[in-house]
Amino acid sequence: MDLTHFRFETDSDGIALATWDSPGRSMNVITPEVMAELDRIVDTVAADAAIKGCVITSGKDSFSGGADLTMLQGLGAEYARLARERGEEEAMRFFFEESRRLTLLYRKLETCGKPFAAAVHGTCLGGAFELALACHHRILSDDDKTRVGLPEIKVGLFPGAGGTQRVARLMQTGDALQMLFKGEQIRPLMARNMGLAHAVAKRDEIVDQAKAWIKGGGSAVAPWDQPKFKAPSGKVYSPAGMMTWPPANAIYRRETHDNYPAAKAILQSVYEGLQLPMDLALKVESRYFARILRSPEAAAMIRSLFVSMGELNKGARRPAAIGPSSLKRVGVVGAGFMGAGIAYVTALAGMEVVLVDQSVEAAEKGKAYSHKLVSDQIMKGRAKTADRDALLARITPTGDYAALAGCDLVIEAVFEDPKVKAEVIAKVEAAIGPEVIFASNTSTLPITGLAKASQRPDQFIGIHFFSPVEKMLLVEIIMGKATGERALAAALDYVRAIKKTPIVVNDARGFFANRCVGAYILEGHLMLAEGVPAVMIENAGRQAGMPVGPLSLNDEVGVDLALKILKATKAQLGDAAVNPVQERILAGLVEGEGRLGRKNRKGFYDYPEAGPKRLWPGLADLAGPRLDPEAVDFAELKQRLLVAQAVEAARVYGEGVVTDPREADVGSILGFGFAPFTGGVLSYIDGMGARRFVELCRRLEAKHGARFAPPDSLIALAETGGRFYGRAEKQAA
């Protein structure tokens, strides 16, 4: 058998071993070529009487990350072509059959009459885990790197190669739905306890144990194909079923607000599939999968959260002429909350960290933050004491700037004051070598202005982390006017090393993310001032697709910080640069009531020691006359909250602050949670169409003010019928 992606051999006991090891790839990926070879392997195993069964394993450090989603994108393009040439019905027939090829292949493996076992080490996600689920026996390595799961929901899809049906037949229905909705990666022992795997073994024993299972007479019939099979939760229409499905539907609506068609399709696929034999159930799943695959939400999320994010993570914006950076020792100046977080993620990536503050004691407090984070992981069983000791050994706290000598990169994370930062820059540059890149972690201060304090502005760059550093995936790389390509390359290499996603933006007040976030928070403040009940504002934000409402978000970042930024902007740019209504609300909270946000347990919300947060009753008096909730257009509230961010993003793009729509979209989702189902701020506009979006902006402008005015660059795009991605594609060509 002539194979490229698999090695196939049969031992003296008649047990075949198919080792998946695609050449030229660091990780195995499901492609049409892989599917064709697996099909031939199944045929060979089934037809050869000398072969008792087959073990599928990987020749790489991981099993597989799943299907190549660009393959699914290609299906959409072919559908569009066939629809034009042969009509909608023929195109849909082709699309349905092609989209279920993997399902049919896995079912063929499952019913071929010979036992298959999966020996899994490392990452096994998506379509790869669906392959394992189709095998009759699953053994996972007990290695810390081994993870299984079905994360398709995170890119607007759902497990469409049998995942919804097999998981729902292996687990209690409620647990299965929770797993499918969350899309989390599951550790080996947990997977076994959940019924998703049969055994956990040492890495070098998984293949032998899988073979032993086959040799011992392992069954070639899946549980659901046995005549007396009963689902773990019983029938859908039963007392137990009625205890599951109404709450499941309610939870779905509460968590998604009907914004994610794939989540609804999971619910429907499991509900309908559990009432049918497996082959019909798989056909039901395939029909929902084909529909979801053609949805605008899936297209947008795949593009932004898989394709674009992958390209950015691999260095799409990195200067090609600059060689790789050797970052082994990183200096972090400022051991406060942000600096301590930066030190942690840097040490976690294996680099040595010199953590500098005004005193050794202050620096030690910053290091203690890393101790706490790893200790929390140990308590959850996700790390070991040895991991904590090794990480802490890589962090050297000090009050002496001279300790920065020998660092390859220095990041300052001190107080947001140009004078303080200028003093730090001078001290750092006196201690480091002439070739060392200096980065400022600032959320508001323009990098070009800060670089004036530097003796080498070409090596000065912004690296803007989001809070909390250890959790937030996005990092903004800010180019000052004098920043050189070597500094950009080093910054991107560093961000890649700490496993975060970078976007590159040009210098401007607020950069990209904070300008959009600021527009969202401002809209919430102005709604409050209009008399819209605070609870409606918050619910509108969540139902529009944001992770939290604008008032809650303001509490998280700090109400006092928002007021400080507003005052600094006003001092530098004049009264017209700020909204007086917003200033009145923020000043009333901070200066009038001492409400600083979550940090002091009182902001727009109260944060009691025990119990959930709740909106501060005094907001009604602060805001003014309250509108009748029945008279408020709730749909318009949701629209305003998204459009305010999107139109600001269009301004930022038009001004050249962000120059790549991929970065705007990925940055908006990872940085401030902009409605992921839209694909991001610019995909939101493209999805609506620039012309329709401009018309919407003008209606909102007429009713609510100039902040909704579309920029000239967006108007020009609308007049030509263009798209942000269409423009970017032409520029790339």
Side-chain angles (χ1 to χ4, degrees), residues 7 9 11 13 15-20 54-60 63 117-121 137-142 199-215:
R7 296 191 298 273
E9 54 194 1
D11 66 16
D13 293 317
I15 300 172
L17 177 66
T19 304
W20 188 2
C54 181
V55 175
I56 300 177
T57 193
S58 171
K60 301 186 185 297
F63 191 82
V120 175
H121 169 74
H137 194 70
R138 293 169 291 283
I139 299 179
L140 311 182
S141 80
D142 62 359
V200 174
K202 295 186 182 300
R203 178 180 182 178
D204 57 1
E205 296 176 2
I206 56 175
V207 170
D208 290 340
Q209 288 198 21
K211 285 185 173 184
W213 174 80
I214 294 173
K215 186 177 179 180

mmCIF file of all heavy atoms in Angstrom, residues 7 9 11 13 15-20 54-60 63 117-121 137-142 199-215:
data_model
loop_
_atom_site.group_PDB
_atom_site.id
_atom_site.type_symbol
_atom_site.label_atom_id
_atom_site.label_comp_id
_atom_site.label_asym_id
_atom_site.label_seq_id
_atom_site.Cartn_x
_atom_site.Cartn_y
_atom_site.Cartn_z
ATOM 1 N N ARG A 7 2.252 5.446 8.079
ATOM 2 C CA ARG A 7 3.073 4.240 7.961
ATOM 3 C C ARG A 7 2.198 3.069 8.407
ATOM 4 O O ARG A 7 1.551 3.138 9.462
ATOM 5 C CB ARG A 7 4.318 4.344 8.841
ATOM 6 C CG ARG A 7 5.261 5.470 8.426
ATOM 7 C CD ARG A 7 6.607 5.355 9.163
ATOM 8 N NE ARG A 7 6.460 5.475 10.605
ATOM 9 C CZ ARG A 7 6.470 6.625 11.271
ATOM 10 N NH1 ARG A 7 6.598 7.772 10.617
ATOM 11 N NH2 ARG A 7 6.365 6.645 12.595
ATOM 12 N N GLU A 9 1.987 -1.112 9.093
ATOM 13 C CA GLU A 9 2.719 -2.366 9.247
ATOM 14 C C GLU A 9 1.895 -3.322 10.104
ATOM 15 O O GLU A 9 1.074 -2.895 10.914
ATOM 16 C CB GLU A 9 4.084 -2.109 9.903
ATOM 17 C CG GLU A 9 3.995 -1.358 11.227
ATOM 18 C CD GLU A 9 5.341 -0.814 11.705
ATOM 19 O OE1 GLU A 9 6.329 -1.004 11.001
ATOM 20 O OE2 GLU A 9 5.361 -0.200 12.782
ATOM 21 N N ASP A 11 2.131 -6.759 12.674
ATOM 22 C CA ASP A 11 3.077 -7.543 13.470
ATOM 23 C C ASP A 11 2.776 -9.043 13.358
ATOM 24 O O ASP A 11 1.841 -9.472 12.653
ATOM 25 C CB ASP A 11 3.085 -7.072 14.923
ATOM 26 C CG ASP A 11 1.772 -7.318 15.646
ATOM 27 O OD1 ASP A 11 0.947 -8.119 15.153
ATOM 28 O OD2 ASP A 11 1.573 -6.719 16.716
ATOM 29 N N ASP A 13 1.426 -11.000 15.342
ATOM 30 C CA ASP A 13 0.127 -11.406 15.876
ATOM 31 C C ASP A 13 -1.020 -11.035 14.939
ATOM 32 O O ASP A 13 -2.197 -11.251 15.270
ATOM 33 C CB ASP A 13 -0.113 -10.746 17.238
ATOM 34 C CG ASP A 13 0.838 -11.265 18.304
ATOM 35 O OD1 ASP A 13 1.056 -12.496 18.335
ATOM 36 O OD2 ASP A 13 1.347 -10.448 19.084
ATOM 37 N N ILE A 15 -1.732 -7.929 14.025
ATOM 38 C CA ILE A 15 -2.315 -6.642 14.425
ATOM 39 C C ILE A 15 -1.609 -5.527 13.665
ATOM 40 O O ILE A 15 -0.375 -5.406 13.706
ATOM 41 C CB ILE A 15 -2.204 -6.425 15.944
ATOM 42 C CG1 ILE A 15 -2.959 -7.538 16.674
ATOM 43 C CG2 ILE A 15 -2.756 -5.056 16.332
ATOM 44 C CD1 ILE A 15 -2.748 -7.537 18.171
ATOM 45 N N ALA A 16 -2.385 -4.727 12.955
ATOM 46 C CA ALA A 16 -1.836 -3.640 12.143
ATOM 47 C C ALA A 16 -1.622 -2.398 12.999
ATOM 48 O O ALA A 16 -2.357 -2.150 13.967
ATOM 49 C CB ALA A 16 -2.771 -3.327 10.988
ATOM 50 N N LEU A 17 -0.617 -1.622 12.629
ATOM 51 C CA LEU A 17 -0.342 -0.332 13.268
ATOM 52 C C LEU A 17 -0.286 0.728 12.177
ATOM 53 O O LEU A 17 0.570 0.674 11.285
ATOM 54 C CB LEU A 17 0.980 -0.369 14.033
ATOM 55 C CG LEU A 17 1.398 0.954 14.690
ATOM 56 C CD1 LEU A 17 0.419 1.340 15.798
ATOM 57 C CD2 LEU A 17 2.820 0.848 15.269
ATOM 58 N N ALA A 18 -1.233 1.681 12.232
ATOM 59 C CA ALA A 18 -1.251 2.805 11.290
ATOM 60 C C ALA A 18 -0.726 4.026 12.028
ATOM 61 O O ALA A 18 -1.398 4.547 12.932
ATOM 62 C CB ALA A 18 -2.659 3.052 10.774
ATOM 63 N N THR A 19 0.478 4.465 11.654
ATOM 64 C CA THR A 19 1.113 5.604 12.327
ATOM 65 C C THR A 19 0.953 6.841 11.455
ATOM 66 O O THR A 19 1.507 6.928 10.356
ATOM 67 C CB THR A 19 2.604 5.333 12.572
ATOM 68 O OG1 THR A 19 2.740 4.123 13.323
ATOM 69 C CG2 THR A 19 3.243 6.485 13.339
ATOM 70 N N TRP A 20 0.197 7.785 11.964
ATOM 71 C CA TRP A 20 -0.104 9.023 11.228
ATOM 72 C C TRP A 20 1.075 9.977 11.396
ATOM 73 O O TRP A 20 1.392 10.395 12.501
ATOM 74 C CB TRP A 20 -1.387 9.614 11.786
ATOM 75 C CG TRP A 20 -1.956 10.782 11.052
ATOM 76 C CD1 TRP A 20 -1.497 11.378 9.919
ATOM 77 C CD2 TRP A 20 -3.149 11.495 11.417
ATOM 78 N NE1 TRP A 20 -2.309 12.405 9.548
ATOM 79 C CE2 TRP A 20 -3.335 12.506 10.448
ATOM 80 C CE3 TRP A 20 -4.055 11.376 12.457
ATOM 81 C CZ2 TRP A 20 -4.415 13.401 10.514
ATOM 82 C CZ3 TRP A 20 -5.122 12.259 12.520
ATOM 83 C CH2 TRP A 20 -5.302 13.262 11.556
ATOM 84 N N CYS A 54 -6.658 -3.093 14.043
ATOM 85 C CA CYS A 54 -5.691 -2.030 13.739
ATOM 86 C C CYS A 54 -5.638 -0.998 14.855
ATOM 87 O O CYS A 54 -6.676 -0.605 15.412
ATOM 88 C CB CYS A 54 -6.072 -1.343 12.426
ATOM 89 S SG CYS A 54 -4.953 -0.020 11.910
ATOM 90 N N VAL A 55 -4.419 -0.567 15.170
ATOM 91 C CA VAL A 55 -4.188 0.528 16.121
ATOM 92 C C VAL A 55 -3.802 1.763 15.317
ATOM 93 O O VAL A 55 -2.938 1.693 14.444
ATOM 94 C CB VAL A 55 -3.068 0.178 17.115
ATOM 95 C CG1 VAL A 55 -2.759 1.385 18.015
ATOM 96 C CG2 VAL A 55 -3.456 -1.025 17.948
ATOM 97 N N ILE A 56 -4.452 2.891 15.620
ATOM 98 C CA ILE A 56 -4.097 4.167 14.985
ATOM 99 C C ILE A 56 -3.387 5.022 16.022
ATOM 100 O O ILE A 56 -3.903 5.236 17.125
ATOM 101 C CB ILE A 56 -5.337 4.902 14.453
ATOM 102 C CG1 ILE A 56 -6.054 4.038 13.410
ATOM 103 C CG2 ILE A 56 -4.939 6.240 13.836
ATOM 104 C CD1 ILE A 56 -7.342 4.655 12.881
ATOM 105 N N THR A 57 -2.198 5.489 15.673
ATOM 106 C CA THR A 57 -1.435 6.352 16.577
ATOM 107 C C THR A 57 -0.747 7.428 15.746
ATOM 108 O O THR A 57 -0.945 7.515 14.527
ATOM 109 C CB THR A 57 -0.417 5.541 17.400
ATOM 110 O OG1 THR A 57 0.088 6.350 18.458
ATOM 111 C CG2 THR A 57 0.726 5.032 16.530
ATOM 112 N N SER A 58 0.049 8.251 16.394
ATOM 113 C CA SER A 58 0.737 9.344 15.701
ATOM 114 C C SER A 58 2.249 9.183 15.813
ATOM 115 O O SER A 58 2.751 8.714 16.836
ATOM 116 C CB SER A 58 0.326 10.695 16.301
ATOM 117 O OG SER A 58 1.135 11.744 15.797
ATOM 118 N N GLY A 59 2.936 9.599 14.767
ATOM 119 C CA GLY A 59 4.388 9.589 14.790
ATOM 120 C C GLY A 59 4.965 10.906 15.237
ATOM 121 O O GLY A 59 6.183 11.095 15.222
ATOM 122 N N LYS A 60 4.112 11.839 15.633
ATOM 123 C CA LYS A 60 4.559 13.169 16.065
ATOM 124 C C LYS A 60 4.339 13.343 17.567
ATOM 125 O O LYS A 60 3.799 12.463 18.235
ATOM 126 C CB LYS A 60 3.808 14.245 15.273
ATOM 127 C CG LYS A 60 4.014 14.149 13.754
ATOM 128 C CD LYS A 60 3.376 15.324 13.035
ATOM 129 C CE LYS A 60 3.466 15.167 11.514
ATOM 130 N NZ LYS A 60 4.857 15.158 11.046
ATOM 131 N N PHE A 63 -1.122 13.997 18.546
ATOM 132 C CA PHE A 63 -1.912 13.151 17.654
ATOM 133 C C PHE A 63 -2.371 13.962 16.442
ATOM 134 O O PHE A 63 -1.953 13.727 15.326
ATOM 135 C CB PHE A 63 -3.104 12.578 18.423
ATOM 136 C CG PHE A 63 -3.831 11.486 17.690
ATOM 137 C CD1 PHE A 63 -3.364 10.187 17.724
ATOM 138 C CD2 PHE A 63 -4.991 11.756 16.976
ATOM 139 C CE1 PHE A 63 -4.021 9.170 17.042
ATOM 140 C CE2 PHE A 63 -5.664 10.752 16.301
ATOM 141 C CZ PHE A 63 -5.178 9.458 16.328
ATOM 142 N N ALA A 117 -8.396 0.526 17.452
ATOM 143 C CA ALA A 117 -8.082 1.183 18.724
ATOM 144 C C ALA A 117 -7.262 2.430 18.448
ATOM 145 O O ALA A 117 -6.422 2.437 17.540
ATOM 146 C CB ALA A 117 -7.312 0.233 19.641
ATOM 147 N N ALA A 118 -7.501 3.482 19.211
ATOM 148 C CA ALA A 118 -6.730 4.722 19.090
ATOM 149 C C ALA A 118 -5.772 4.817 20.276
ATOM 150 O O ALA A 118 -6.196 4.702 21.426
ATOM 151 C CB ALA A 118 -7.657 5.929 19.061
ATOM 152 N N ALA A 119 -4.484 5.007 19.968
ATOM 153 C CA ALA A 119 -3.463 5.213 21.001
ATOM 154 C C ALA A 119 -3.026 6.658 20.895
ATOM 155 O O ALA A 119 -2.315 7.039 19.963
ATOM 156 C CB ALA A 119 -2.286 4.266 20.779
ATOM 157 N N VAL A 120 -3.480 7.473 21.828
ATOM 158 C CA VAL A 120 -3.384 8.927 21.697
ATOM 159 C C VAL A 120 -2.374 9.524 22.667
ATOM 160 O O VAL A 120 -2.446 9.294 23.876
ATOM 161 C CB VAL A 120 -4.766 9.575 21.924
ATOM 162 C CG1 VAL A 120 -4.648 11.096 21.919
ATOM 163 C CG2 VAL A 120 -5.761 9.104 20.865
ATOM 164 N N HIS A 121 -1.470 10.318 22.106
ATOM 165 C CA HIS A 121 -0.562 11.120 22.922
ATOM 166 C C HIS A 121 -0.603 12.551 22.413
ATOM 167 O O HIS A 121 -0.645 12.800 21.211
ATOM 168 C CB HIS A 121 0.871 10.602 22.843
ATOM 169 C CG HIS A 121 1.872 11.558 23.454
ATOM 170 N ND1 HIS A 121 1.985 11.724 24.816
ATOM 171 C CD2 HIS A 121 2.749 12.426 22.881
ATOM 172 C CE1 HIS A 121 2.910 12.645 25.057
ATOM 173 N NE2 HIS A 121 3.381 13.083 23.905
ATOM 174 N N HIS A 137 -11.867 1.352 20.798
ATOM 175 C CA HIS A 137 -11.146 1.407 22.071
ATOM 176 C C HIS A 137 -10.204 2.612 22.018
ATOM 177 O O HIS A 137 -9.581 2.874 20.988
ATOM 178 C CB HIS A 137 -10.343 0.119 22.274
ATOM 179 C CG HIS A 137 -9.847 -0.081 23.675
ATOM 180 N ND1 HIS A 137 -10.682 -0.377 24.731
ATOM 181 C CD2 HIS A 137 -8.583 -0.035 24.202
ATOM 182 C CE1 HIS A 137 -9.971 -0.513 25.842
ATOM 183 N NE2 HIS A 137 -8.706 -0.310 25.552
ATOM 184 N N ARG A 138 -10.108 3.333 23.139
ATOM 185 C CA ARG A 138 -9.286 4.543 23.192
ATOM 186 C C ARG A 138 -8.380 4.506 24.422
ATOM 187 O O ARG A 138 -8.882 4.372 25.542
ATOM 188 C CB ARG A 138 -10.175 5.793 23.230
ATOM 189 C CG ARG A 138 -10.954 6.007 21.953
ATOM 190 C CD ARG A 138 -12.027 7.075 22.091
ATOM 191 N NE ARG A 138 -13.130 6.670 22.969
ATOM 192 C CZ ARG A 138 -14.102 5.828 22.610
ATOM 193 N NH1 ARG A 138 -14.103 5.294 21.402
ATOM 194 N NH2 ARG A 138 -15.075 5.519 23.461
ATOM 195 N N ILE A 139 -7.087 4.646 24.189
ATOM 196 C CA ILE A 139 -6.114 4.712 25.277
ATOM 197 C C ILE A 139 -5.354 6.026 25.154
ATOM 198 O O ILE A 139 -4.822 6.354 24.087
ATOM 199 C CB ILE A 139 -5.126 3.528 25.226
ATOM 200 C CG1 ILE A 139 -5.881 2.198 25.366
ATOM 201 C CG2 ILE A 139 -4.083 3.653 26.335
ATOM 202 C CD1 ILE A 139 -4.995 0.986 25.307
ATOM 203 N N LEU A 140 -5.304 6.788 26.236
ATOM 204 C CA LEU A 140 -4.624 8.083 26.250
ATOM 205 C C LEU A 140 -3.351 7.993 27.072
ATOM 206 O O LEU A 140 -3.317 7.294 28.089
ATOM 207 C CB LEU A 140 -5.534 9.164 26.844
ATOM 208 C CG LEU A 140 -6.968 9.258 26.317
ATOM 209 C CD1 LEU A 140 -7.692 10.419 26.996
ATOM 210 C CD2 LEU A 140 -6.994 9.426 24.808
ATOM 211 N N SER A 141 -2.325 8.719 26.652
ATOM 212 C CA SER A 141 -1.105 8.771 27.462
ATOM 213 C C SER A 141 -1.349 9.658 28.675
ATOM 214 O O SER A 141 -2.150 10.596 28.625
ATOM 215 C CB SER A 141 0.062 9.319 26.638
ATOM 216 O OG SER A 141 0.020 10.727 26.563
ATOM 217 N N ASP A 142 -0.645 9.356 29.770
ATOM 218 C CA ASP A 142 -0.834 10.136 31.000
ATOM 219 C C ASP A 142 0.045 11.380 31.033
ATOM 220 O O ASP A 142 0.233 11.997 32.074
ATOM 221 C CB ASP A 142 -0.567 9.266 32.229
ATOM 222 C CG ASP A 142 0.878 8.753 32.279
ATOM 223 O OD1 ASP A 142 1.660 9.056 31.360
ATOM 224 O OD2 ASP A 142 1.211 8.030 33.240
ATOM 225 N N ALA A 199 -8.896 3.845 28.810
ATOM 226 C CA ALA A 199 -7.738 3.650 29.687
ATOM 227 C C ALA A 199 -6.751 4.789 29.523
ATOM 228 O O ALA A 199 -6.732 5.490 28.506
ATOM 229 C CB ALA A 199 -7.056 2.323 29.365
ATOM 230 N N VAL A 200 -5.916 4.957 30.560
ATOM 231 C CA VAL A 200 -4.805 5.916 30.539
ATOM 232 C C VAL A 200 -3.549 5.137 30.887
ATOM 233 O O VAL A 200 -3.547 4.328 31.824
ATOM 234 C CB VAL A 200 -5.031 7.060 31.555
ATOM 235 C CG1 VAL A 200 -3.812 7.972 31.621
ATOM 236 C CG2 VAL A 200 -6.281 7.861 31.195
ATOM 237 N N ALA A 201 -2.488 5.346 30.103
ATOM 238 C CA ALA A 201 -1.244 4.585 30.316
ATOM 239 C C ALA A 201 -0.047 5.475 30.045
ATOM 240 O O ALA A 201 -0.180 6.586 29.522
ATOM 241 C CB ALA A 201 -1.210 3.360 29.396
ATOM 242 N N LYS A 202 1.127 4.983 30.399
ATOM 243 C CA LYS A 202 2.357 5.716 30.110
ATOM 244 C C LYS A 202 2.523 5.843 28.598
ATOM 245 O O LYS A 202 2.084 4.975 27.833
ATOM 246 C CB LYS A 202 3.561 5.001 30.721
ATOM 247 C CG LYS A 202 3.533 4.966 32.240
ATOM 248 C CD LYS A 202 4.818 4.367 32.794
ATOM 249 C CE LYS A 202 4.762 4.303 34.320
ATOM 250 N NZ LYS A 202 4.585 5.638 34.930
ATOM 251 N N ARG A 203 3.203 6.912 28.195
ATOM 252 C CA ARG A 203 3.308 7.207 26.768
ATOM 253 C C ARG A 203 3.882 6.028 25.979
ATOM 254 O O ARG A 203 3.367 5.697 24.904
ATOM 255 C CB ARG A 203 4.172 8.454 26.554
ATOM 256 C CG ARG A 203 4.361 8.783 25.083
ATOM 257 C CD ARG A 203 5.210 10.004 24.854
ATOM 258 N NE ARG A 203 5.314 10.302 23.437
ATOM 259 C CZ ARG A 203 5.974 11.342 22.943
ATOM 260 N NH1 ARG A 203 6.591 12.190 23.754
ATOM 261 N NH2 ARG A 203 6.017 11.552 21.632
ATOM 262 N N ASP A 204 4.920 5.387 26.511
ATOM 263 C CA ASP A 204 5.570 4.314 25.754
ATOM 264 C C ASP A 204 4.821 2.982 25.846
ATOM 265 O O ASP A 204 5.270 1.972 25.310
ATOM 266 C CB ASP A 204 7.026 4.138 26.199
ATOM 267 C CG ASP A 204 7.149 3.849 27.686
ATOM 268 O OD1 ASP A 204 6.107 3.759 28.366
ATOM 269 O OD2 ASP A 204 8.292 3.721 28.166
ATOM 270 N N GLU A 205 3.655 2.995 26.515
ATOM 271 C CA GLU A 205 2.886 1.759 26.650
ATOM 272 C C GLU A 205 1.548 1.798 25.918
ATOM 273 O O GLU A 205 0.863 0.774 25.827
ATOM 274 C CB GLU A 205 2.630 1.459 28.137
ATOM 275 C CG GLU A 205 3.899 1.189 28.938
ATOM 276 C CD GLU A 205 3.613 0.985 30.421
ATOM 277 O OE1 GLU A 205 2.417 1.026 30.803
ATOM 278 O OE2 GLU A 205 4.574 0.809 31.198
ATOM 279 N N ILE A 206 1.155 2.954 25.406
ATOM 280 C CA ILE A 206 -0.209 3.066 24.871
ATOM 281 C C ILE A 206 -0.418 2.177 23.643
ATOM 282 O O ILE A 206 -1.480 1.559 23.493
ATOM 283 C CB ILE A 206 -0.585 4.535 24.561
ATOM 284 C CG1 ILE A 206 0.420 5.197 23.596
ATOM 285 C CG2 ILE A 206 -0.725 5.338 25.840
ATOM 286 C CD1 ILE A 206 0.000 6.610 23.180
ATOM 287 N N VAL A 207 0.563 2.097 22.767
ATOM 288 C CA VAL A 207 0.413 1.257 21.568
ATOM 289 C C VAL A 207 0.351 -0.213 21.958
ATOM 290 O O VAL A 207 -0.502 -0.976 21.473
ATOM 291 C CB VAL A 207 1.547 1.522 20.558
ATOM 292 C CG1 VAL A 207 1.517 0.482 19.434
ATOM 293 C CG2 VAL A 207 1.433 2.925 19.985
ATOM 294 N N ASP A 208 1.236 -0.631 22.862
ATOM 295 C CA ASP A 208 1.249 -2.037 23.296
ATOM 296 C C ASP A 208 -0.068 -2.413 23.966
ATOM 297 O O ASP A 208 -0.599 -3.517 23.751
ATOM 298 C CB ASP A 208 2.415 -2.286 24.256
ATOM 299 C CG ASP A 208 3.771 -2.239 23.555
ATOM 300 O OD1 ASP A 208 3.794 -2.394 22.310
ATOM 301 O OD2 ASP A 208 4.787 -2.036 24.242
ATOM 302 N N GLN A 209 -0.604 -1.515 24.780
ATOM 303 C CA GLN A 209 -1.871 -1.820 25.450
ATOM 304 C C GLN A 209 -3.029 -1.867 24.459
ATOM 305 O O GLN A 209 -3.953 -2.677 24.603
ATOM 306 C CB GLN A 209 -2.143 -0.797 26.554
ATOM 307 C CG GLN A 209 -1.246 -0.956 27.766
ATOM 308 C CD GLN A 209 -1.792 -0.260 28.996
ATOM 309 O OE1 GLN A 209 -2.990 0.013 29.089
ATOM 310 N NE2 GLN A 209 -0.923 0.011 29.968
ATOM 311 N N ALA A 210 -2.962 -1.000 23.443
ATOM 312 C CA ALA A 210 -4.005 -1.019 22.417
ATOM 313 C C ALA A 210 -3.958 -2.335 21.636
ATOM 314 O O ALA A 210 -5.001 -2.949 21.343
ATOM 315 C CB ALA A 210 -3.835 0.171 21.474
ATOM 316 N N LYS A 211 -2.743 -2.766 21.318
ATOM 317 C CA LYS A 211 -2.594 -4.052 20.616
ATOM 318 C C LYS A 211 -3.079 -5.207 21.500
ATOM 319 O O LYS A 211 -3.726 -6.147 21.016
ATOM 320 C CB LYS A 211 -1.134 -4.268 20.229
ATOM 321 C CG LYS A 211 -0.670 -3.426 19.047
ATOM 322 C CD LYS A 211 0.759 -3.804 18.651
ATOM 323 C CE LYS A 211 1.181 -3.103 17.365
ATOM 324 N NZ LYS A 211 2.531 -3.541 16.919
ATOM 325 N N ALA A 212 -2.759 -5.131 22.782
ATOM 326 C CA ALA A 212 -3.169 -6.191 23.708
ATOM 327 C C ALA A 212 -4.685 -6.289 23.777
ATOM 328 O O ALA A 212 -5.251 -7.394 23.884
ATOM 329 C CB ALA A 212 -2.581 -5.930 25.092
ATOM 330 N N TRP A 213 -5.350 -5.151 23.703
ATOM 331 C CA TRP A 213 -6.817 -5.156 23.726
ATOM 332 C C TRP A 213 -7.360 -5.897 22.497
ATOM 333 O O TRP A 213 -8.283 -6.715 22.601
ATOM 334 C CB TRP A 213 -7.333 -3.721 23.767
ATOM 335 C CG TRP A 213 -8.835 -3.645 23.649
ATOM 336 C CD1 TRP A 213 -9.747 -3.862 24.640
ATOM 337 C CD2 TRP A 213 -9.595 -3.384 22.458
ATOM 338 N NE1 TRP A 213 -11.034 -3.733 24.156
ATOM 339 C CE2 TRP A 213 -10.967 -3.439 22.821
ATOM 340 C CE3 TRP A 213 -9.254 -3.096 21.137
ATOM 341 C CZ2 TRP A 213 -11.981 -3.225 21.894
ATOM 342 C CZ3 TRP A 213 -10.266 -2.881 20.212
ATOM 343 C CH2 TRP A 213 -11.614 -2.941 20.583
ATOM 344 N N ILE A 214 -6.777 -5.612 21.331
ATOM 345 C CA ILE A 214 -7.220 -6.302 20.112
ATOM 346 C C ILE A 214 -6.905 -7.794 20.201
ATOM 347 O O ILE A 214 -7.753 -8.654 19.911
ATOM 348 C CB ILE A 214 -6.546 -5.679 18.864
ATOM 349 C CG1 ILE A 214 -7.034 -4.235 18.661
ATOM 350 C CG2 ILE A 214 -6.835 -6.517 17.617
ATOM 351 C CD1 ILE A 214 -6.311 -3.484 17.564
ATOM 352 N N LYS A 215 -5.676 -8.114 20.634
ATOM 353 C CA LYS A 215 -5.247 -9.514 20.746
ATOM 354 C C LYS A 215 -6.134 -10.286 21.719
ATOM 355 O O LYS A 215 -6.407 -11.490 21.541
ATOM 356 C CB LYS A 215 -3.790 -9.557 21.207
ATOM 357 C CG LYS A 215 -3.186 -10.955 21.212
ATOM 358 C CD LYS A 215 -1.713 -10.898 21.623
ATOM 359 C CE LYS A 215 -1.114 -12.301 21.662
ATOM 360 N NZ LYS A 215 0.319 -12.262 22.059
#
